[in-house]
Amino acid sequence: MTDMHQDTGLTGTDAGAADAIDAGTAEAFLSHDQSLRHAPGPYFGAYGGRWMPESLIAALDELQDTFDKAKADPEFTAQVAELNKNYAGRPSLLTEAARFAEHCGGVRVFLKREDLNHTGSHKINNVLGQALIAKRMGKTRVIAETGAGQHGVASATAAALLGLECVVYMGAEDTRRQALNVARMQLLGATVVPVTNGSQTLKDAINDALRDWVANVETTHYLLGTAAGAHPFPSMVRYFHEVIGDEAREQILEQTGRLPDAVTACVGGGSNAIGMFHGFLDDREVALYGFEAGGDGVETGRHAATITLGRPGVLHGARSYLMQDEDGQTMESHSISAGLDYPGVGPEHAYLADIGRAHYEPITDAEAMEAFKLLSQTEGIIPAIETAHALAGTMKLGRRLAADLAPGEQPSDRIIVVNLSGRGDKDVATAAGYFDLLPDDSVEQEIAEEGEQL
Amino acid sequence: MTTHLPDRQQPESGAPASKAAAAIEKARSEGRAALIGYLPAGFPDVRTTIEAGIAMAENGVDLIEIGIPYSDPVMDGVVIQEATVEALANGFTVPQIFDVVEGITRKTDAAVLVMTYWNPVMRMGVRDFAERLAAAGGAGLITPDLIPDEAAEWLQVSEELGLDRVFLVAPSTSPQRMQNTVDASRGFVYAVSVMGVTGARTSVGAAAQAVVDAAHDAGAERVCVGLGVSSSAQVREIGAYADGVIVGTALVAALRDGGVQAVADLTRELSTGAAKVSAGGSA
Ligand SMILES: Cc1ncc(COP(=O)(O)O)c(C=O)c1O
């Protein structure tokens, strides 16, 4: 596997986004007063589209049509707003992290607190929206894929709330390692199906969900968990997450009187990042940074740094950057964070990378875990390990900004807003194992060794 | 509906004629539906795929469909998934597909199509892939996750090289999409019999005939039915309204369980279903 990974390595024409970036395009785009916001799809530059079996095209058309009408229907937007407010707990806070900021070169750092949402992450925004869409289509059943279980739990939650049957596909290995999240989904009334096909990982869970969808499309909506997949999923999932960036923009203006210098987020499939970025896409003075999972280090081949090292291809319905070997076979990704452990990425990110509007950098497991500990101990907030990638990236970025000040400027003149996409309760066992905090003979130690997340 | 037939499934002058169309028309001239057999390349190895392909051709198959094992086969059921996982584990690489195609076309008259998910083709480059396929004697491509809407490059290259473009239509396909897909296809149109993935089924149901009728009404001259067909009785039933019948999972299971000989035996048995006068309904 290692040399296969290195096929998409750092050299030659396979190097991915770095080769393709054309900063001039973004410039041209913006100087012509063209907005990057609300991109409707199906295409984002050369990315996106519908690389899907014909059998599912009618369902995608129905979904698109329902979604387009819903967006324009005040009753629907009011329903979403009501659930966001009185169920999910929005707006989420914007918290300045002064002690953490000392480790970011002294720039000011603000945390967009998606961790405070019901179910503990940004995922709730998307599942509530899509479950409402499912009901509008008259579907009685939703299916979802999940890696560690975050999106599965969120989907089961929305299904319980709205009275929908829910089936969650999860890699067999993950169902064993994440036994408590399986129990959580079951407590919420969902059925969890262990996936034993292929590499038995998240991408195979998506494959099985798609197979279920083909066979049951009349009654079933596929509640995809990230801003990837075939049109209209990337733009629809983004739409339900746009609230993150919209709130953050308003809150930072209110708290500091100006826009931030940079906005950061972690990128798995890209949903929390695109929701955050969207609020600032047309503010070209605001730099956008997405941090991908660098795993053991991108040079090792064991990572999930799709934009950094992948090359364009099609997977799960969209053309985007993809971790693939020279035969076009999808490669296995690796990350300490299950939520970032995906070999693909949403097409809008591929586009934003190519035109230079957003920048994507890898963060290793070790860097992420360091930031995980740091935020916990400086701010009293335990982040999700996914989120810790954004925090580690923010530390690096803050130091770069601080090193690059004009004469007379202070580090505190620079502002970064981080999307704190989720809380770390689910990651306590992994982290305790990682930092060797558990007694050798404890049950928890055994669990942590298996990668369980409590 | 079929009053004006622009013969869209015929090549433009200059490019080679459609091999798939020729094979189906030959069967038609013999008063029967064409029999199409599927096997994945490299299961369990490339040499066996070639031998099994030749065995299918010698025992009554008119067209052969060879699948490229792919990491994410969303349209395939368990039997084909397991076979392709094994092929990949045994070291199958995409360029070997051309060895398989050439190995079969050199020894038989059967038209050989490649069934592939799109990313491996994109990775090699559509033109490169197509040129190598044509050089190996291949007829064209069946593309389960490529719809005509996304196929601009393939439409152009296949037209130039005279390769067949077999797109799928399904029970869920709208009339507008049916028309577009029939127009974009070359060789034949692949009618998916049921809403689902590959795998043997005891019955393919009434939906299949409706799909075939709709494709014919949209001007398709050749419509073949796949997904779920596993017996000569089903071949006979479908052959009564379709121009060809595609058998996949059953042949893969036969190869898995009984090797090339079992593929030959099953093919012979299936071909009795495609025969013009079924000898007293023997099956
Ligand atoms: C807390 C958290 N952040 C981020 C992600 C990554 O997903 P995305 O890139 O779609 O935001 C996940 C996925 O499980 C998550 O749970």
Side-chain angles (χ1 to χ4, degrees):
Chain A
M1 277 318 273
T2 307
D3 42 17
M4 285 167 73
H5 280 81
Q6 280 166 356
D7 166 61
T8 53
L10 292 154
T11 53
T13 53
D14 289 358
D19 278 348
I21 285 177
D22 175 6
T25 315
E27 211 59 38
F29 218 107
L30 294 170
S31 64
H32 286 93
D33 285 335
Q34 280 173 323
S35 174
L36 289 170
R37 283 163 55 83
H38 308 295
Y43 301 104
F44 307 89
Y47 305 104
R50 282 183 173 173
W51 308 82
M52 271 293 197
E54 170 64 26
S55 297
L56 286 172
I57 301 296
L60 293 168
D61 279 340
E62 181 192 17
L63 181 59
Q64 183 185 349
D65 184 55
T66 307
F67 172 58
D68 286 346
K69 288 187 177 128
K71 271 193 303 186
D73 179 352
E75 195 184 316
F76 178 80
T77 51
Q79 248 179 332
V80 172
E82 202 277 332
L83 283 177
N84 278 347
K85 179 162 184 270
N86 294 319
Y87 186 75
R90 304 204 71 91
S92 65
L93 302 178
L94 186 74
T95 305
E96 180 157 16
R99 273 168 44 74
F100 178 72
E102 290 170 19
H103 302 268
C104 305
V107 304
R108 294 180 76 186
V109 175
F110 291 78
L111 311 173
K112 179 58 178 164
R113 301 291 304 280
E114 293 300 295
D115 61 315
L116 298 177
N117 297 339
H118 180 45
T119 72
S121 81
H122 68 290
K123 300 272 180 196
I124 194 76
N125 306 326
N126 172 47
V127 295
L128 291 174
Q130 280 199 51
L132 287 173
I133 293 281
K135 293 208 76 143
R136 282 175 86 94
M137 291 187 294
K139 311 268 163 152
T140 56
R141 179 175 178 266
V142 292
I143 55 175
E145 81 294 341
T146 200
Q150 286 305 100
H151 175 58
V153 169
S155 299
T157 300
L161 177 69
L162 295 173
L164 294 160
E165 183 190 344
C166 180
V167 175
V168 180
Y169 288 89
M170 188 170 185
E173 183 67 9
D174 288 335
T175 60
R176 196 181 59 77
R177 292 191 308 191
Q178 315 292 334
L180 283 178
N181 262 343
V182 173
R184 217 167 262 158
M185 289 181 255
Q186 288 167 337
L187 285 171
L188 290 161
T191 304
V192 179
V193 180
V195 173
T196 53
N197 303 319
S199 59
Q200 312 199 1
T201 62
L202 176 60
K203 79 173 178 66
D204 303 284
I206 296 178
N207 293 342
D208 258 12
L210 287 169
R211 292 179 186 116
D212 178 318
W213 202 26
V214 176
N216 299 296
V217 67
E218 291 219 342
T219 60
T220 300
H221 172 62
Y222 181 10
L223 211 169
L224 185 67
T226 191
H231 178 69
F233 282 106
S235 49
M236 181 175 70
V237 173
R238 184 201 64 222
Y239 173 84
F240 291 124
H241 283 304
E242 284 172 11
V243 65
I244 304 171
D246 291 346
E247 286 177 7
R249 192 174 186 281
E250 210 176 291
Q251 289 166 318
I252 196 71
L253 286 173
E254 196 181 287
Q255 292 185 30
T256 69
R258 70 176 190 81
L259 289 171
D261 297 281
V263 166
T264 63
C266 64
V267 179
S271 68
N272 88 87
I274 201 69
M276 182 65 158
F277 289 178
H278 189 263
F280 302 90
L281 276 179
D282 288 348
D283 302 314
R284 56 172 143 164
E285 66 275 31
V286 179
L288 306 175
Y289 284 88
F291 295 104
E292 303 190 298
D296 292 344
V298 292
E299 69 289 350
T300 66
R302 292 178 54 82
H303 59 81
T306 310
I307 296 179
T308 308
L309 285 183
R311 57 170 288 150
V314 292
L315 176 69
H316 295 148
R319 184 168 190 273
S320 187
Y321 282 98
L322 175 63
M323 288 175 57
Q324 53 179 319
D325 69 13
E326 62 187 358
D327 270 0
Q329 309 285 359
T330 309
M331 295 191 314
E332 261 181 66
S333 54
H334 295 275
S335 170
I336 191 169
S337 135
L340 303 185
D341 202 350
Y342 178 60
V345 67
E348 193 167 4
H349 286 293
Y351 174 63
L352 294 176
D354 275 12
I355 65 170
R357 178 64 189 97
H359 309 281
Y360 299 84
E361 297 174 8
I363 294 294
T364 64
D365 288 354
E367 290 169 328
M369 292 312 290
E370 203 45 47
F372 177 96
K373 189 158 101 179
L374 198 60
L375 190 79
S376 302
Q377 299 186 355
T378 55
E379 301 293 339
I381 297 169
I382 300 179
I385 296 178
E386 290 80 10
T387 312
H389 289 71
L391 294 163
T394 300
M395 290 166 65
K396 289 181 161 180
L397 176 64
R399 289 171 192 158
R400 294 205 304 258
L401 292 180
D404 196 28
L405 294 169
E409 280 187 320
Q410 302 300 316
S412 59
D413 294 336
R414 294 281 176 271
I415 297 173
I416 303 177
V417 177
V418 192
N419 194 10
L420 200 82
S421 59
R423 67 179 178 227
D425 302 39
K426 69 184 178 61
D427 297 319
V428 168
T430 305
Y434 186 88
F435 293 115
D436 207 13
L437 301 177
L438 299 169
D440 281 347
D441 56 353
S442 66
V443 177
E444 287 81 2
Q445 170 63 24
E446 254 173 59
I447 292 172
E449 270 168 15
E450 293 184 1
E452 164 77 88
Q453 303 187 352
L454 293 173
Chain B
M1 289 291 283
T2 48
T3 43
H4 113 107
L5 264 183
D7 220 8
R8 294 182 195 92
Q9 292 176 62
Q10 287 304 315
E12 285 178 359
S13 57
S18 164
K19 291 181 178 170
I24 296 168
E25 292 308 331
K26 178 165 173 290
R28 198 200 302 277
S29 73
E30 293 166 8
R32 59 186 177 85
L35 181 62
I36 304 171
Y38 163 92
L39 286 174
F43 171 67
D45 53 44
V46 165
R47 218 188 56 192
T48 307
T49 311
I50 294 172
E51 285 171 12
I54 293 168
M56 287 197 291
E58 286 173 349
N59 286 280
V61 143
D62 302 288
L63 279 89
I64 293 171
E65 190 187 320
I66 301 293
I68 295 183
Y70 175 56
S71 52
D72 297 276
V74 295
M75 276 297 281
D76 285 307
V78 175
V79 171
I80 292 176
Q81 280 179 50
E82 285 177 355
T84 54
V85 164
E86 187 176 327
L88 291 171
N90 291 347
F92 175 83
T93 60
V94 170
Q96 288 179 307
I97 192 71
F98 307 117
D99 301 337
V100 173
V101 171
E102 196 176 343
I104 299 172
T105 54
R106 206 189 289 145
K107 289 275 174 59
T108 75
D109 294 333
V112 180
L113 290 148
V114 168
M115 201 246 33
T116 182
Y117 293 91
W118 199 242
N119 199 51
V121 178
M122 226 182 201
R123 182 68 177 86
M124 185 175 293
V126 175
R127 179 170 294 277
D128 272 11
F129 190 102
E131 285 174 353
R132 292 176 74 171
L133 179 65
L141 293 177
I142 301 174
T143 52
D145 66 349
L146 180 72
I147 55 174
D149 319 46
E150 304 286 6
E153 190 179 5
W154 169 232
L155 291 174
Q156 191 191 327
V157 170
S158 55
E159 206 57 48
E160 273 175 42
L161 298 176
L163 290 170
D164 290 321
R165 297 179 294 270
V166 180
F167 293 108
L168 279 59
V169 292
S172 58
T173 299
S174 69
Q176 182 61 52
R177 293 196 60 80
M178 180 64 77
Q179 189 64 58
N180 292 347
T181 308
V182 165
D183 290 352
S185 298
R186 181 183 192 273
F188 67 94
V189 176
Y190 189 132
V192 167
S193 63
V194 289
M195 292 300 286
V197 297
T198 58
R201 289 174 176 82
T202 47
S203 157
V204 293
Q209 183 164 3
V211 181
V212 172
D213 289 349
H216 279 149
D217 285 350
E221 290 176 77
R222 288 166 293 277
V223 185
C224 303
V225 172
L227 254 59
V229 186
S230 60
S231 70
S232 57
Q234 283 174 311
V235 171
R236 184 171 307 114
E237 179 198 329
I238 295 165
Y241 58 81
D243 307 295
V245 187
I246 304 164
V247 180
T249 297
L251 286 163
V252 179
L255 181 62
R256 177 194 65 198
D257 298 336
V260 173
Q261 186 58 47
V263 170
D265 294 345
L266 178 59
T267 307
R268 204 173 319 112
E269 201 272 329
L270 290 167
S271 69
T272 64
K276 184 182 184 182
V277 187
S278 56
S282 75

